[in-house]
Amino acid sequence: MKPVVILQHEAGVSAGHFASWLEARSLPHVVVNVHLGDPVPASARSYAGLCSLGGNMSVNDPLPWIDDEIELMRDAVERGVPIIGHCLGGQLLARALGAEVTRNPCKEMGWLPVDVVDPALVVEWLGSDALGDLFHWHGDAFALPEGARRLLSSPLTPNQAYVVERGGIEHLGMQFHIEMTPELVSAWAGDPAAAGEIDEERARTGGPGVQSPDDMCRDLERRAAAMKSLAWRLYDRWARGLKD
């Protein structure tokens, strides 16, 4: 099988559970380290699937690689190569499919609940509609691409996950970070910049969608294990579309 390509946009924003799932399923993969200057591939023809990770930047920032990644996604859609987007990756996919990405009124940072919009679709992709809290870290939010089916929502972010079919292939965009391991959560929560960002958000909006670093790390192993089970079920469902 061709490899799955992973586009990483920041040093500390790695593939987490997605990488361990690929390894457990013996699926070949390559990482394009955009943050280290690796060029975004010009075509998706060499890949079985495309995974786009998160990052603190905005899709609307004038960064040279953003247009290149959007064009890669459009090429993947044309070639029937399935795409999965985590947070920023879900925003990039939405933009590639013609939807807007804008600033959310409130940031979401930490373990927060999501609401099931389409129960049958959620069970199909996640194996259950009893999801508990998922991990979030975003200030922007995507609109839904034309023809997309919304899986999940939240009080502060109406569009939390969507599936969109093009040419018989399903692509998935998520606003939350289902890939997070305990190590990644601890590292993000322990970043001094995070505390400043949380304080700024609380001063600006009252902070309805942000947790303290201590709260992010409370009961972390159990929360991350529960989310891992959901992630692997979701990744297995997405993998049905992988090209040979």
Side-chain angles (χ1 to χ4, degrees), residues 110-112 133-135 181-182 185-187 189-190 202 210-226:
W111 295 96
L112 301 167
D133 293 346
L134 301 179
F135 196 78
T181 63
V185 173
S186 295
R202 286 176 170 166
V210 298
Q211 289 182 325
S212 70
D214 286 345
D215 285 340
M216 291 180 192
C217 295
R218 186 169 291 114
D219 203 13
L220 180 53
E221 292 295 332
R222 182 195 62 79
R223 283 171 149 172

Side-chain angles (χ1 to χ4, degrees), residues 9-40:
H9 309 112
E10 279 194 57
V13 189
S14 57
H17 289 318
F18 187 76
S20 60
W21 168 80
L22 288 169
E23 292 165 4
R25 300 292 186 258
S26 299
L27 293 171
H29 55 281
V30 296
V31 179
V32 174
N33 291 296
V34 175
H35 61 292
L36 297 179
D38 290 353
V40 174

Side-chain angles (χ1 to χ4, degrees), residues 168-184:
I169 299 297
E170 292 172 305
H171 310 280
L172 175 69
M174 298 169 285
Q175 192 56 79
F176 46 84
H177 285 276
I178 204 166
E179 80 283 8
M180 295 294 283
T181 63
E183 294 77 15
L184 283 172

Side-chain angles (χ1 to χ4, degrees), residues 125-142:
W125 277 83
L126 290 158
S128 171
D129 60 3
L131 304 183
D133 293 346
L134 301 179
F135 196 78
H136 304 250
W137 200 292
H138 70 97
D140 285 0
F142 47 69

Side-chain angles (χ1 to χ4, degrees), residues 113-176:
V114 293
D115 300 320
V116 172
V117 176
D118 188 328
L121 195 62
V122 169
V123 170
E124 178 184 345
W125 277 83
L126 290 158
S128 171
D129 60 3
L131 304 183
D133 293 346
L134 301 179
F135 196 78
H136 304 250
W137 200 292
H138 70 97
D140 285 0
F142 47 69
L144 293 180
E146 182 178 357
R149 298 176 66 188
R150 186 170 55 148
L151 284 79
L152 300 169
S153 180
S154 74
L156 297 178
T157 307
N159 300 321
Q160 282 285 352
Y162 63 91
V163 174
V164 61
E165 182 180 326
R166 294 289 188 272
I169 299 297
E170 292 172 305
H171 310 280
L172 175 69
M174 298 169 285
Q175 192 56 79
F176 46 84

